[in-house]
Amino acid sequence: MSSTGNNIGWCANIIYWFDEVSERAGGVQTETLRQILVQNFEAEYLNKWLEGANIQEMDANALESLYTSVVPLVSHADLEPYIQRIADGEKEPLLTQEPIKFLSLSSGTSEGRQKLVPFTQHSSKTTLQIFKLGAAYRSRAYPAREGGRILEFIYSSKGFMRTRGGIRVGTATAHYYASDEFKLKQEETKSFTCSPEAVISSGDYKQSTYCHLLLGIHFSDQVEFVTSTFAYSIVQAFSTFEEIWKEITNDIKEGKLSSRVSIQSARDAVLDIVFRPNRNLATRIQSICEELEKNDWFGVIQKLWPNAKYVYSIMTGAMLPYLTKLRHYAGDLPLVSGDYGSTESWIGVNLDPFSPPEKVTFAVVPTFSYFEFIPLHRQILGSNSAASDDFIEDNPVPLSQVKIGQEYEIVLTTFTGLYRCRLGDVVEIAGFHKNTPKLNFICRRKLILTVNIDKNTEKDLQLVVDKGSRILKKSRAELVDFTSHANVSNQPGHYVIYWEIKGDAEDRLIEECCDEMDASFVDHGYVVSRKCNTIGPLELCIVERGTFNKIMENFIANGASLSQFKTPRCTNNPALLTILSLYTVKRFHSTAYVP
Ligand code: AMP
């Protein structure tokens, strides 16, 4: 197998296309907006704002000015009544002219609750396009063998739920994996996933993970790269592998499938592939794993998939805390950060696969949606308690007017019926590809920890936890996962941080971590409040091993998919707080501010 002219052909074509639309990014955006409005101006929501305007005849620039001056900025909650009416089966065009047949469930793990978002064929098409675009840049950097395999830790639900009005509901990933575009991507990029459809959509993440690992090993020489949507799933899969590798090796040796996999369709699909005993492969895997076990599984991915060129997944934002573990499992294999998008719309593509995940930027694809950017200015002292978070906003600007170094919140107008809808993500302009901006993902905008005048975002919490957990390195323990909660049930309120730790650490060391975290919040409001005790000492709760798995399972039981799962970094969700409190085994209180 070798990289052929055909392969080079599709890569060059799509890169050429992207260069061309990036060159004309401002104009492409204006035209994209015109297309969205011409398609949908008669839908009830748009008609409310644009009634009387001659949309079809209007010049695109005039239309852009009209649109941004009369249609208000909204959040998802403002559009929810319309989405609910669609879900209830109303047939009139409400948000889009074309009837909405599918609704996607956002993961809800960052917002705390799941949102329903319209999904159309346009959504699947843009998914295919961004995947091909990303694949083209990656195969330029790391040429892949045509016909090779991808070990993908991907998960989708078994079938779809239906709303009262009969609309199919599933996660965006479930819609995509069930679509023709998913098959098309494999055929066009000539890279095939190791697992058949029945494994991806088994609906039971444990059984799917087992099969993904088994099939990955079955195809071990052919695997070109290892991937998942979010890095969490790869880390989760290999921590499972540490426990079950002997069983998998045994299955390979005997050409059978463990009774762990009980879903018949998944069993049949796997046994169709792995039906012959393969003693040679089993012996090789066994000796590699015995060696790996002695080295705490360092480089397991590299060792088991000797032809893999890289590990590919979203590693930014809420995934940064898993990077250390991912690097550990990947060994010397490069980590390539995945693209940037949301259930609402794809946004940007990683054009530089050599860039380390900490530095990755995403070039906005100007044909996907109409993007606006709300300039955000950080308040120096953060003590304005009336402000909803730490930023002061300016008026939104179009993509063509963004400035390098400035932070913005993204606003989306999509082909799927969202109009000037705030996404809630903060990005920074890192530079340009031709004339389209390259974004740094900064954080979710929403404040996550606040008791009174203090304001801390997900990013602030991540930095603090990162500092605190470095102390664990003095022992043989490591941080597996974390979340937090602002406890205001007693006065003074205080922050509670929950840690799951692997390995042993002495109490004295964990006390040190607790103090370090309390002292590391630099937000002025927090520091002042701690000094005068209007915020109480930070509490660090250590939870039992496996607690964060239970949290993930709780999300999955409520309709989320493992492919989209992101541990909530702060929670007020009573079900999660109950799990956390039930499995807390030790509590520590900071003495950082004791005079
Ligand atoms: P969902 O709720 O599943 O639609 O998740 C979408 C959210 O995931 C986005 O709004 C971002 O906050 C986050 N996200 C998606 N892609 C990335 C990325 N490449 N880097 C950081 N965060 C991301």
mmCIF file of all heavy atoms in Angstrom, residues 101-138:
data_model
loop_
_atom_site.group_PDB
_atom_site.id
_atom_site.type_symbol
_atom_site.label_atom_id
_atom_site.label_comp_id
_atom_site.label_asym_id
_atom_site.label_seq_id
_atom_site.Cartn_x
_atom_site.Cartn_y
_atom_site.Cartn_z
ATOM 1 N N LYS A 101 -36.057 17.778 10.362
ATOM 2 C CA LYS A 101 -36.448 16.384 10.635
ATOM 3 C C LYS A 101 -35.676 15.780 11.805
ATOM 4 O O LYS A 101 -36.034 14.738 12.327
ATOM 5 C CB LYS A 101 -36.212 15.531 9.390
ATOM 6 C CG LYS A 101 -37.062 15.989 8.210
ATOM 7 C CD LYS A 101 -37.109 14.900 7.154
ATOM 8 C CE LYS A 101 -37.801 15.387 5.902
ATOM 9 N NZ LYS A 101 -36.937 15.503 4.755
ATOM 10 N N PHE A 102 -34.548 16.418 12.134
ATOM 11 C CA PHE A 102 -33.713 15.907 13.232
ATOM 12 C C PHE A 102 -33.398 17.017 14.215
ATOM 13 O O PHE A 102 -33.235 18.163 13.815
ATOM 14 C CB PHE A 102 -32.366 15.400 12.704
ATOM 15 C CG PHE A 102 -32.474 14.350 11.655
ATOM 16 C CD1 PHE A 102 -32.180 14.638 10.339
ATOM 17 C CD2 PHE A 102 -32.856 13.050 11.981
ATOM 18 C CE1 PHE A 102 -32.275 13.669 9.353
ATOM 19 C CE2 PHE A 102 -32.947 12.085 11.002
ATOM 20 C CZ PHE A 102 -32.654 12.389 9.682
ATOM 21 N N LEU A 103 -33.278 16.638 15.468
ATOM 22 C CA LEU A 103 -32.762 17.578 16.457
ATOM 23 C C LEU A 103 -31.554 16.931 17.122
ATOM 24 O O LEU A 103 -31.561 15.730 17.394
ATOM 25 C CB LEU A 103 -33.832 17.902 17.500
ATOM 26 C CG LEU A 103 -34.997 18.775 16.995
ATOM 27 C CD1 LEU A 103 -36.129 18.793 18.011
ATOM 28 C CD2 LEU A 103 -34.542 20.208 16.708
ATOM 29 N N SER A 104 -30.522 17.743 17.332
ATOM 30 C CA SER A 104 -29.329 17.206 17.994
ATOM 31 C C SER A 104 -29.330 17.603 19.448
ATOM 32 O O SER A 104 -29.762 18.705 19.792
ATOM 33 C CB SER A 104 -28.071 17.805 17.364
ATOM 34 O OG SER A 104 -27.745 17.120 16.231
ATOM 35 N N LEU A 105 -28.781 16.730 20.260
ATOM 36 C CA LEU A 105 -28.626 17.033 21.674
ATOM 37 C C LEU A 105 -27.199 17.481 21.896
ATOM 38 O O LEU A 105 -26.270 16.728 21.592
ATOM 39 C CB LEU A 105 -28.809 15.756 22.483
ATOM 40 C CG LEU A 105 -30.182 15.360 22.976
ATOM 41 C CD1 LEU A 105 -30.096 14.008 23.644
ATOM 42 C CD2 LEU A 105 -30.720 16.398 23.946
ATOM 43 N N SER A 106 -27.014 18.707 22.398
ATOM 44 C CA SER A 106 -25.636 19.089 22.730
ATOM 45 C C SER A 106 -25.234 18.266 23.954
ATOM 46 O O SER A 106 -26.101 17.748 24.663
ATOM 47 C CB SER A 106 -25.561 20.574 23.039
ATOM 48 O OG SER A 106 -26.091 20.804 24.315
ATOM 49 N N SER A 107 -23.927 18.171 24.196
ATOM 50 C CA SER A 107 -23.479 17.299 25.292
ATOM 51 C C SER A 107 -24.039 17.772 26.624
ATOM 52 O O SER A 107 -24.298 16.984 27.517
ATOM 53 C CB SER A 107 -21.960 17.272 25.361
ATOM 54 O OG SER A 107 -21.508 18.555 25.699
ATOM 55 N N GLY A 108 -24.190 19.093 26.746
ATOM 56 C CA GLY A 108 -24.745 19.619 27.990
ATOM 57 C C GLY A 108 -23.772 19.522 29.143
ATOM 58 O O GLY A 108 -24.070 19.927 30.252
ATOM 59 N N THR A 109 -22.574 19.006 28.864
ATOM 60 C CA THR A 109 -21.658 18.825 29.988
ATOM 61 C C THR A 109 -20.958 20.133 30.319
ATOM 62 O O THR A 109 -20.439 20.302 31.399
ATOM 63 C CB THR A 109 -20.646 17.712 29.711
ATOM 64 O OG1 THR A 109 -20.095 17.899 28.425
ATOM 65 C CG2 THR A 109 -21.302 16.364 29.782
ATOM 66 N N SER A 110 -20.952 21.080 29.367
ATOM 67 C CA SER A 110 -20.340 22.358 29.722
ATOM 68 C C SER A 110 -21.396 23.339 30.247
ATOM 69 O O SER A 110 -21.112 24.174 31.077
ATOM 70 C CB SER A 110 -19.593 22.943 28.525
ATOM 71 O OG SER A 110 -20.258 22.651 27.329
ATOM 72 N N GLU A 111 -22.602 23.251 29.759
ATOM 73 C CA GLU A 111 -23.665 24.172 30.164
ATOM 74 C C GLU A 111 -24.432 23.674 31.383
ATOM 75 O O GLU A 111 -25.214 24.403 31.956
ATOM 76 C CB GLU A 111 -24.674 24.322 29.022
ATOM 77 C CG GLU A 111 -24.199 25.209 27.894
ATOM 78 C CD GLU A 111 -24.156 26.676 28.294
ATOM 79 O OE1 GLU A 111 -24.885 27.059 29.216
ATOM 80 O OE2 GLU A 111 -23.367 27.416 27.700
ATOM 81 N N GLY A 112 -24.262 22.400 31.682
ATOM 82 C CA GLY A 112 -24.994 21.856 32.813
ATOM 83 C C GLY A 112 -26.349 21.282 32.398
ATOM 84 O O GLY A 112 -26.988 20.582 33.137
ATOM 85 N N ARG A 113 -26.831 21.625 31.199
ATOM 86 C CA ARG A 113 -28.066 20.985 30.747
ATOM 87 C C ARG A 113 -27.964 20.824 29.236
ATOM 88 O O ARG A 113 -27.309 21.605 28.542
ATOM 89 C CB ARG A 113 -29.290 21.809 31.155
ATOM 90 C CG ARG A 113 -29.491 23.010 30.328
ATOM 91 C CD ARG A 113 -30.515 23.957 30.915
ATOM 92 N NE ARG A 113 -30.380 25.177 30.145
ATOM 93 C CZ ARG A 113 -31.087 25.445 29.064
ATOM 94 N NH1 ARG A 113 -32.007 24.603 28.652
ATOM 95 N NH2 ARG A 113 -30.877 26.541 28.374
ATOM 96 N N GLN A 114 -28.646 19.797 28.731
ATOM 97 C CA GLN A 114 -28.545 19.535 27.300
ATOM 98 C C GLN A 114 -29.452 20.470 26.524
ATOM 99 O O GLN A 114 -30.548 20.786 26.971
ATOM 100 C CB GLN A 114 -28.931 18.090 27.037
ATOM 101 C CG GLN A 114 -27.891 17.140 27.586
ATOM 102 C CD GLN A 114 -28.182 15.714 27.174
ATOM 103 O OE1 GLN A 114 -29.089 15.098 27.704
ATOM 104 N NE2 GLN A 114 -27.437 15.211 26.227
ATOM 105 N N LYS A 115 -28.975 20.897 25.366
ATOM 106 C CA LYS A 115 -29.785 21.769 24.515
ATOM 107 C C LYS A 115 -30.181 20.988 23.272
ATOM 108 O O LYS A 115 -29.414 20.162 22.788
ATOM 109 C CB LYS A 115 -28.951 22.974 24.067
ATOM 110 C CG LYS A 115 -28.504 23.888 25.162
ATOM 111 C CD LYS A 115 -27.611 25.003 24.623
ATOM 112 C CE LYS A 115 -26.253 24.509 24.190
ATOM 113 N NZ LYS A 115 -25.321 25.527 23.720
ATOM 114 N N LEU A 116 -31.364 21.313 22.735
ATOM 115 C CA LEU A 116 -31.759 20.730 21.455
ATOM 116 C C LEU A 116 -31.400 21.725 20.359
ATOM 117 O O LEU A 116 -31.717 22.910 20.466
ATOM 118 C CB LEU A 116 -33.269 20.476 21.435
ATOM 119 C CG LEU A 116 -33.750 19.234 22.187
ATOM 120 C CD1 LEU A 116 -35.264 19.166 22.157
ATOM 121 C CD2 LEU A 116 -33.159 17.965 21.570
ATOM 122 N N VAL A 117 -30.741 21.232 19.336
ATOM 123 C CA VAL A 117 -30.279 22.103 18.257
ATOM 124 C C VAL A 117 -30.730 21.498 16.930
ATOM 125 O O VAL A 117 -30.540 20.287 16.719
ATOM 126 C CB VAL A 117 -28.721 22.191 18.295
ATOM 127 C CG1 VAL A 117 -28.204 23.064 17.176
ATOM 128 C CG2 VAL A 117 -28.242 22.703 19.642
ATOM 129 N N PRO A 118 -31.322 22.303 16.021
ATOM 130 C CA PRO A 118 -31.738 21.733 14.731
ATOM 131 C C PRO A 118 -30.546 21.149 13.972
ATOM 132 O O PRO A 118 -29.438 21.684 14.024
ATOM 133 C CB PRO A 118 -32.304 22.937 13.972
ATOM 134 C CG PRO A 118 -32.640 23.941 15.011
ATOM 135 C CD PRO A 118 -31.683 23.729 16.132
ATOM 136 N N PHE A 119 -30.795 20.036 13.301
ATOM 137 C CA PHE A 119 -29.741 19.346 12.535
ATOM 138 C C PHE A 119 -30.318 19.055 11.151
ATOM 139 O O PHE A 119 -31.430 18.550 11.030
ATOM 140 C CB PHE A 119 -29.397 18.043 13.259
ATOM 141 C CG PHE A 119 -28.262 17.276 12.645
ATOM 142 C CD1 PHE A 119 -26.967 17.404 13.130
ATOM 143 C CD2 PHE A 119 -28.486 16.412 11.575
ATOM 144 C CE1 PHE A 119 -25.918 16.692 12.569
ATOM 145 C CE2 PHE A 119 -27.440 15.697 11.012
ATOM 146 C CZ PHE A 119 -26.149 15.836 11.508
ATOM 147 N N THR A 120 -29.570 19.423 10.113
ATOM 148 C CA THR A 120 -30.062 19.171 8.754
ATOM 149 C C THR A 120 -28.960 18.462 7.964
ATOM 150 O O THR A 120 -27.869 18.238 8.483
ATOM 151 C CB THR A 120 -30.388 20.484 8.024
ATOM 152 O OG1 THR A 120 -29.156 21.192 7.870
ATOM 153 C CG2 THR A 120 -31.381 21.338 8.770
ATOM 154 N N GLN A 121 -29.253 18.203 6.707
ATOM 155 C CA GLN A 121 -28.217 17.556 5.897
ATOM 156 C C GLN A 121 -27.001 18.458 5.748
ATOM 157 O O GLN A 121 -25.874 17.989 5.589
ATOM 158 C CB GLN A 121 -28.778 17.188 4.539
ATOM 159 C CG GLN A 121 -28.292 15.806 4.155
ATOM 160 C CD GLN A 121 -28.188 15.632 2.663
ATOM 161 O OE1 GLN A 121 -28.955 16.243 1.935
ATOM 162 N NE2 GLN A 121 -27.255 14.810 2.234
ATOM 163 N N HIS A 122 -27.257 19.775 5.829
ATOM 164 C CA HIS A 122 -26.139 20.715 5.765
ATOM 165 C C HIS A 122 -25.141 20.409 6.894
ATOM 166 O O HIS A 122 -23.929 20.482 6.703
ATOM 167 C CB HIS A 122 -26.659 22.154 5.873
ATOM 168 C CG HIS A 122 -25.587 23.185 5.734
ATOM 169 N ND1 HIS A 122 -24.884 23.681 6.805
ATOM 170 C CD2 HIS A 122 -25.065 23.773 4.642
ATOM 171 C CE1 HIS A 122 -23.991 24.551 6.381
ATOM 172 N NE2 HIS A 122 -24.074 24.623 5.067
ATOM 173 N N SER A 123 -25.675 20.033 8.081
ATOM 174 C CA SER A 123 -24.789 19.737 9.212
ATOM 175 C C SER A 123 -23.890 18.541 8.881
ATOM 176 O O SER A 123 -22.679 18.575 9.147
ATOM 177 C CB SER A 123 -25.603 19.436 10.474
ATOM 178 O OG SER A 123 -26.733 20.255 10.588
ATOM 179 N N SER A 124 -24.466 17.483 8.292
ATOM 180 C CA SER A 124 -23.649 16.308 7.940
ATOM 181 C C SER A 124 -22.642 16.663 6.860
ATOM 182 O O SER A 124 -21.504 16.198 6.877
ATOM 183 C CB SER A 124 -24.515 15.177 7.390
ATOM 184 O OG SER A 124 -25.262 14.616 8.408
ATOM 185 N N LYS A 125 -23.072 17.522 5.930
ATOM 186 C CA LYS A 125 -22.167 17.890 4.834
ATOM 187 C C LYS A 125 -20.967 18.664 5.348
ATOM 188 O O LYS A 125 -19.840 18.434 4.925
ATOM 189 C CB LYS A 125 -22.908 18.753 3.808
ATOM 190 C CG LYS A 125 -23.727 17.935 2.843
ATOM 191 C CD LYS A 125 -24.100 18.783 1.653
ATOM 192 C CE LYS A 125 -24.844 17.960 0.641
ATOM 193 N NZ LYS A 125 -25.931 18.709 0.021
ATOM 194 N N THR A 126 -21.218 19.610 6.288
ATOM 195 C CA THR A 126 -20.084 20.381 6.798
ATOM 196 C C THR A 126 -19.183 19.482 7.646
ATOM 197 O O THR A 126 -17.970 19.661 7.663
ATOM 198 C CB THR A 126 -20.541 21.601 7.620
ATOM 199 O OG1 THR A 126 -21.433 21.145 8.629
ATOM 200 C CG2 THR A 126 -21.204 22.642 6.761
ATOM 201 N N THR A 127 -19.781 18.498 8.322
ATOM 202 C CA THR A 127 -18.954 17.563 9.099
ATOM 203 C C THR A 127 -18.021 16.814 8.148
ATOM 204 O O THR A 127 -16.811 16.714 8.385
ATOM 205 C CB THR A 127 -19.844 16.573 9.877
ATOM 206 O OG1 THR A 127 -20.730 17.312 10.694
ATOM 207 C CG2 THR A 127 -19.030 15.639 10.742
ATOM 208 N N LEU A 128 -18.586 16.325 7.047
ATOM 209 C CA LEU A 128 -17.760 15.619 6.071
ATOM 210 C C LEU A 128 -16.662 16.547 5.547
ATOM 211 O O LEU A 128 -15.497 16.157 5.440
ATOM 212 C CB LEU A 128 -18.647 15.139 4.912
ATOM 213 C CG LEU A 128 -17.918 14.574 3.694
ATOM 214 C CD1 LEU A 128 -17.162 13.301 4.055
ATOM 215 C CD2 LEU A 128 -18.902 14.259 2.557
ATOM 216 N N GLN A 129 -17.050 17.787 5.274
ATOM 217 C CA GLN A 129 -16.084 18.706 4.680
ATOM 218 C C GLN A 129 -14.939 19.039 5.647
ATOM 219 O O GLN A 129 -13.781 19.027 5.258
ATOM 220 C CB GLN A 129 -16.818 19.983 4.278
ATOM 221 C CG GLN A 129 -16.114 20.699 3.152
ATOM 222 C CD GLN A 129 -17.051 21.670 2.471
ATOM 223 O OE1 GLN A 129 -18.198 21.832 2.894
ATOM 224 N NE2 GLN A 129 -16.587 22.325 1.430
ATOM 225 N N ILE A 130 -15.279 19.295 6.905
ATOM 226 C CA ILE A 130 -14.196 19.653 7.844
ATOM 227 C C ILE A 130 -13.320 18.427 8.123
ATOM 228 O O ILE A 130 -12.108 18.539 8.256
ATOM 229 C CB ILE A 130 -14.709 20.319 9.135
ATOM 230 C CG1 ILE A 130 -13.536 21.050 9.808
ATOM 231 C CG2 ILE A 130 -15.361 19.337 10.094
ATOM 232 C CD1 ILE A 130 -13.925 22.097 10.797
ATOM 233 N N PHE A 131 -13.924 17.240 8.180
ATOM 234 C CA PHE A 131 -13.128 16.037 8.416
ATOM 235 C C PHE A 131 -12.173 15.807 7.255
ATOM 236 O O PHE A 131 -11.009 15.448 7.438
ATOM 237 C CB PHE A 131 -14.032 14.818 8.622
ATOM 238 C CG PHE A 131 -14.655 14.757 10.003
ATOM 239 C CD1 PHE A 131 -14.505 15.793 10.910
ATOM 240 C CD2 PHE A 131 -15.393 13.645 10.395
ATOM 241 C CE1 PHE A 131 -15.080 15.745 12.171
ATOM 242 C CE2 PHE A 131 -15.965 13.577 11.668
ATOM 243 C CZ PHE A 131 -15.822 14.631 12.552
ATOM 244 N N LYS A 132 -12.666 16.033 6.034
ATOM 245 C CA LYS A 132 -11.787 15.847 4.873
ATOM 246 C C LYS A 132 -10.698 16.911 4.841
ATOM 247 O O LYS A 132 -9.543 16.629 4.528
ATOM 248 C CB LYS A 132 -12.615 15.916 3.579
ATOM 249 C CG LYS A 132 -13.241 14.573 3.225
ATOM 250 C CD LYS A 132 -14.166 14.650 2.048
ATOM 251 C CE LYS A 132 -13.472 15.069 0.763
ATOM 252 N NZ LYS A 132 -14.436 15.267 -0.337
ATOM 253 N N LEU A 133 -11.090 18.137 5.190
ATOM 254 C CA LEU A 133 -10.115 19.228 5.180
ATOM 255 C C LEU A 133 -9.006 18.957 6.200
ATOM 256 O O LEU A 133 -7.811 19.037 5.881
ATOM 257 C CB LEU A 133 -10.850 20.537 5.496
ATOM 258 C CG LEU A 133 -10.096 21.840 5.337
ATOM 259 C CD1 LEU A 133 -9.512 21.982 3.948
ATOM 260 C CD2 LEU A 133 -11.021 23.031 5.632
ATOM 261 N N GLY A 134 -9.420 18.594 7.422
ATOM 262 C CA GLY A 134 -8.435 18.276 8.457
ATOM 263 C C GLY A 134 -7.569 17.106 8.012
ATOM 264 O O GLY A 134 -6.334 17.121 8.164
ATOM 265 N N ALA A 135 -8.209 16.088 7.423
ATOM 266 C CA ALA A 135 -7.475 14.893 6.985
ATOM 267 C C ALA A 135 -6.465 15.264 5.900
ATOM 268 O O ALA A 135 -5.354 14.717 5.856
ATOM 269 C CB ALA A 135 -8.450 13.835 6.468
ATOM 270 N N ALA A 136 -6.813 16.204 5.047
ATOM 271 C CA ALA A 136 -5.901 16.596 3.967
ATOM 272 C C ALA A 136 -4.641 17.237 4.553
ATOM 273 O O ALA A 136 -3.519 16.900 4.162
ATOM 274 C CB ALA A 136 -6.605 17.566 3.031
ATOM 275 N N TYR A 137 -4.820 18.143 5.520
ATOM 276 C CA TYR A 137 -3.650 18.781 6.129
ATOM 277 C C TYR A 137 -2.823 17.759 6.906
ATOM 278 O O TYR A 137 -1.594 17.794 6.896
ATOM 279 C CB TYR A 137 -4.070 19.942 7.035
ATOM 280 C CG TYR A 137 -4.366 21.194 6.236
ATOM 281 C CD1 TYR A 137 -5.668 21.501 5.852
ATOM 282 C CD2 TYR A 137 -3.345 22.038 5.831
ATOM 283 C CE1 TYR A 137 -5.940 22.633 5.099
ATOM 284 C CE2 TYR A 137 -3.610 23.168 5.073
ATOM 285 C CZ TYR A 137 -4.907 23.459 4.715
ATOM 286 O OH TYR A 137 -5.164 24.578 3.958
ATOM 287 N N ARG A 138 -3.506 16.820 7.547
ATOM 288 C CA ARG A 138 -2.749 15.815 8.312
ATOM 289 C C ARG A 138 -1.992 14.881 7.377
ATOM 290 O O ARG A 138 -0.856 14.528 7.643
ATOM 291 C CB ARG A 138 -3.684 15.016 9.227
ATOM 292 C CG ARG A 138 -3.976 15.757 10.521
ATOM 293 C CD ARG A 138 -4.890 14.984 11.422
ATOM 294 N NE ARG A 138 -6.270 15.066 10.978
ATOM 295 C CZ ARG A 138 -7.014 14.027 10.623
ATOM 296 N NH1 ARG A 138 -6.529 12.806 10.688
ATOM 297 N NH2 ARG A 138 -8.256 14.205 10.221
#
